[in-house]
């Protein structure tokens, strides 16, 4: 922590995020007036020009981010010879890390065959707090936030680079196709082996018996009552369902 004074009686204090003085700052009438993120170096050296960089913030809307990124990655060749982008980088820090991962996963599901490279690092953050009690004191808080950068590329990447993940669309399609075929076979076997006629017969007998009871003279309730009408509707529906042929 450093304390310095100037001629105009303005005091500036530098503290770290783990300092006990930070809690006193929150409780002694200080207000945050500025938030400055330090620029970090690109974790993917050697990227070609024209790579789309999506900086995800805590308050960013995933719908807006993905709408813009998907439009650029799926862009068809235009009249001017412009084609869709081949690579995109999603980056976020602090509370935006989870949202950054979500954006990358959505794009991987929407666009098949994307190679992924993930890098983790830390970036600095400075927050400036000013006193609200009429003084000229100022507190600068230094924080260190975890950040993530995810590179998605239509072109192959170095598989020996730490953080590389191959495309998963082939694996997902094979797995989903196998599960779908197994489910279809199971439904066909169950449909062919399950005797549906006894159940339909029981439903038909129940509906017919209920209709006869409601229509008989000994039903004990007027035919136009609400309960009688509801029971009649249920009985007719049971009879109708029993007449539908099984699969």
């Amino acid at each position: 922590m450093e304390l310095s004074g100037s001629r105009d009686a303005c005091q500036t204090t530098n503290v770290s995020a783990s300092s006990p003085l930070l809690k006193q700052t929150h409780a002694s009438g200080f207000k945050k007036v500025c938030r400055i993120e330090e620029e970090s170096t690109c974790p993917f050296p050697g990227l070609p020009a024209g790579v789309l960089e999506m900086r995800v913030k805590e308050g960013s809307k995933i719908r807006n981010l993905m709408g813009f990124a998907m439009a650029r990655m799926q862009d068809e060749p235009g009249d001017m010879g412009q084609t869709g982008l081949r690579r995109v980088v999603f980056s976020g820090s602090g509370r935006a890390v989870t949202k950054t991962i979500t954006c990358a996963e959505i794009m991987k599901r929407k666009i098949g065959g994307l190679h992924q490279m993930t890098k983790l690092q830390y970036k600095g953050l400075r927050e400036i707090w000013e006193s609200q009690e009429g003084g000229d004191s100022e507190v600068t808080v230094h924080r260190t936030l975890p950040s993530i950068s995810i590179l998605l590329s239509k072109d192959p990447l170095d598989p020996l680079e730490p953080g590389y993940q191959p495309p998963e669309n082939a694996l997902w399609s094979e797995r989903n196709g196998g599960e779908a075929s197994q489910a279809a076979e199971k439904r066909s076997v169950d449909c062919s082996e399950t005797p549906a006629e006894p159940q339909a017969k029981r439903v038909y007998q129940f509906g017919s018996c209920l209709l006869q009871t409601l229509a008989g003279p000994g039903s004990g309730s007027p035919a136009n009552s609400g309960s009688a009408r509801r029971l009649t509707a249920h009985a007719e529906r049971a009879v109708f369902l029993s007449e539908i042929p099984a699969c």
Side-chain angles (χ1 to χ4, degrees), residues 153-173:
S153 174
K154 297 180 180 179
D155 303 321
L157 302 174
D158 186 6
L160 301 179
E161 181 73 17
Y164 172 77
Q165 295 183 20
E168 299 180 357
N169 59 324
L171 178 61
W172 277 92
S173 60

Side-chain angles (χ1 to χ4, degrees), residues 70-187:
M70 293 293 297
R72 297 294 302 274
M73 291 290 288
Q74 294 179 336
D75 192 14
E76 299 293 338
D79 299 335
M80 303 300 295
Q82 297 179 355
T83 58
L85 298 178
R86 307 288 301 177
R87 300 185 180 187
V88 59
V89 176
F90 290 96
S91 60
S93 60
R95 296 181 180 179
V97 169
T98 304
K99 191 172 294 185
T100 303
I101 299 175
T102 302
C103 292
E105 292 298 324
I106 292 176
M107 177 164 286
K108 288 169 58 180
R109 299 297 180 266
K110 296 291 185 180
I111 303 178
L114 293 179
H115 299 261
Q116 178 177 342
M117 188 75 70
T118 305
K119 296 294 183 180
L120 301 176
Q121 59 184 357
Y122 288 92
K123 65 185 307 182
L125 173 67
R126 290 190 298 119
E127 296 179 349
I128 300 178
W129 297 70
E130 291 183 353
S131 175
Q132 293 182 315
E133 298 179 355
D136 295 331
S137 59
E138 184 179 280
V139 176
T140 302
V141 180
H142 297 269
R143 297 179 182 271
T144 302
L145 300 178
S147 64
I148 187 172
S149 298
I150 302 176
L151 169 63
L152 299 179
S153 174
K154 297 180 180 179
D155 303 321
L157 302 174
D158 186 6
L160 301 179
E161 181 73 17
Y164 172 77
Q165 295 183 20
E168 299 180 357
N169 59 324
L171 178 61
W172 277 92
S173 60
E174 181 180 357
R175 182 181 302 175
N176 294 336
E179 293 178 356
S181 61
Q182 293 178 2
E185 293 177 359
K186 184 177 180 181
R187 285 196 300 268

